[in-house]
Amino acid sequence: MTTPALALDRLTVRYQTLQAVDGLSLQIQPGETLGLVGESGCGKSSLARAIVHLADSEGGIRIDGEDVGDRMRRDARFVAAKVQMLFQDPMASLSPRMTIRKLLEEPLRIHGRFNRENWAEIESLAADLGLGQQILGRYPHQISGGQARRVALVRALAVKPRILIADEPTAGLDLSVQGDLLNLLAGMKQRFGLSYLLISHNLNVVGRVTDRVAVMYLGQIVESGDTATVFRAPAHPYTAALLSANLTVDPARRRERIVLKGELPSPHNPPPGCRFHQRCPHVQDLCRGTAPVPTRLDDGRTVACHFPLAGSGAERKAELA
């Protein structure tokens, strides 16, 4: 079997009394784009920050089969050399005191890779993305938001990482610019052999560019699998509700809207049993007291639900995931 590019084993992220990520396990295969979706506050960004060591975590993180904790004790730059992140606000991720040239040089210098050949590659990549010599001498406040996203991308690719985490990469962009950015990311994936973790609220984007999708609710994954399979026939009621709210101009693809009652429970005090049971339109007594175990279906997807939706293939439940 292929060694996953990234493997998370029971990863947990806590902020004092808040458990943002709760025992989450997930894998991304080499060359794969995994979409991560869920409501605001479910822990998506905390998960991303834990992977790149911007948040403390418990549990296992392996990159290309290597335990991150072991490697970081020997080389503090190990994760940064393997995983880079595109932040939701690219302008805020760029130091206002450095020119674009210095910002692009910095990762090469940190990793001891700054030389004429490597810098020539960065200049060539920047030029390919529309960042000419005149841009390199400017400061972040002197460039547009679209240019800032391209600078952040070139900066992330400077150390030739294996995995790129993109947190809401299309947020705040109009449709034409979104398309350009997604095409750009697809091209970079092929060019550099990247694996992607794409975090987004935009289900149309997730449906278009990801190979697999993971649905997150209150710090846990409730459903994951092939994107086309999950989008066509969701097995978890929460996934079905998310997809029903997705806007589409094609009448044939519209779903009957599922309106969830109640508010999202507080991550400070999650409910017992299934965490979704207070809002689930299909709740039964078992859900209120017993947490569902993630179960693998015959079609390869995994769902954490006592009573998966009919028509999703859930009646063919197989071994525990």
Side-chain angles (χ1 to χ4, degrees), residues 130-138 147:
L131 302 172
Q133 289 293 327
Q134 72 279 11
I135 297 293
L136 300 185
R138 297 177 185 174
Q147 289 171 328

Side-chain angles (χ1 to χ4, degrees), residues 44-46 48-49 85-89 149 165-171 197-201:
K44 302 186 300 297
S45 293
S46 291
R49 292 174 66 85
M85 184 167 174
L86 298 179
F87 293 89
Q88 184 170 344
D89 184 351
R149 288 181 189 271
I165 300 175
D167 190 358
E168 297 287 0
T170 60
L197 175 61
L198 176 68
I199 301 171
S200 182
H201 287 98

Side-chain angles (χ1 to χ4, degrees), residues 1-317:
M1 296 181 63
T2 304
T3 300
L6 175 69
L8 309 179
D9 182 24
R10 300 179 183 179
L11 191 72
T12 297
V13 179
R14 293 186 179 90
Y15 303 116
Q16 297 181 347
T17 62
L18 187 153
Q19 193 153 301
V21 180
D22 185 10
L24 185 149
S25 297
L26 200 63
Q27 292 186 355
I28 301 177
Q29 300 301 322
E32 180 179 60
T33 298
L34 175 70
L36 185 64
V37 302
E39 292 170 283
S40 296
C42 71
K44 302 186 300 297
S45 293
S46 291
L47 173 64
R49 292 174 66 85
I51 295 171
V52 296
H53 274 235
L54 291 178
D56 293 334
S57 64
E58 301 171 9
I61 303 176
R62 302 184 74 85
I63 299 174
D64 288 335
E66 294 190 82
D67 182 84
V68 167
D70 291 343
R71 283 300 307 267
M72 288 288 284
R73 283 188 282 273
R74 287 177 280 151
D75 182 3
R77 297 171 296 183
F78 172 73
V79 171
K82 293 282 189 175
V83 186
Q84 286 289 311
M85 184 167 174
L86 298 179
F87 293 89
Q88 184 170 344
D89 184 351
M91 195 68 75
S93 70
L94 304 177
S95 172
R97 300 184 179 185
M98 301 173 69
T99 64
I100 304 304
R101 179 184 295 275
K102 291 296 183 182
L103 285 166
L104 298 182
E105 288 180 359
E106 186 181 41
L108 293 176
R109 294 186 183 279
I110 289 174
H111 290 269
R113 302 179 187 178
F114 185 77
N115 55 45
R116 182 175 300 178
E117 181 180 350
N118 287 341
W119 175 245
E121 289 184 6
I122 296 302
E123 284 189 308
S124 176
L125 177 59
D128 290 345
L129 301 186
L131 302 172
Q133 289 293 327
Q134 72 279 11
I135 297 293
L136 300 185
R138 297 177 185 174
Y139 288 86
H141 72 276
Q142 296 174 317
I143 64 176
S144 69
Q147 289 171 328
R149 288 181 189 271
R150 292 169 185 264
V151 170
L153 179 58
V154 176
R155 194 169 189 265
L157 295 176
V159 295
K160 298 181 179 178
R162 293 275 287 114
I163 303 161
L164 191 64
I165 300 175
D167 190 358
E168 297 287 0
T170 60
L173 301 178
D174 61 44
L175 290 178
S176 62
V177 179
Q178 283 186 23
D180 290 343
L181 179 61
L182 293 175
N183 290 334
L184 176 60
L185 290 175
M188 294 300 101
K189 177 182 176 181
Q190 296 297 322
R191 180 171 175 177
F192 292 95
L194 294 166
S195 300
Y196 281 155
L197 175 61
L198 176 68
I199 301 171
S200 182
H201 287 98
N202 191 326
L203 296 179
N204 290 321
V205 167
V206 172
R208 172 185 166 185
V209 304
T210 65
D211 303 301
R212 290 192 305 120
V213 63
V215 183
M216 196 168 181
Y217 185 82
L218 277 184
Q220 298 179 339
I221 300 297
V222 297
E223 183 170 3
S224 64
D226 177 77
T227 300
T229 300
V230 173
F231 274 43
R232 181 178 63 252
H236 197 284
Y238 178 64
T239 308
L242 279 183
L243 292 173
S244 77
N246 190 38
L247 297 176
T248 176
V249 297
D250 184 356
R253 297 175 59 193
R254 292 176 187 167
R255 304 171 185 260
E256 181 180 352
R257 180 68 186 272
I258 300 172
V259 179
L260 298 178
K261 298 179 181 179
E263 297 182 358
L264 182 69
S266 170
H268 289 277
N269 185 28
C274 175
R275 296 191 171 187
F276 186 58
H277 82 257
Q278 294 175 333
R279 306 171 73 195
C280 182
H282 307 285
V283 63
Q284 299 187 37
D285 288 341
L286 178 63
C287 310
R288 297 184 174 93
T290 304
V293 176
T295 304
R296 192 177 303 279
L297 310 185
D298 284 351
D299 60 15
R301 84 173 95 179
T302 299
V303 61
C305 181
H306 293 300
F307 305 101
L309 298 177
S312 64
E315 62 273 14
R316 304 187 305 275
K317 286 196 292 186

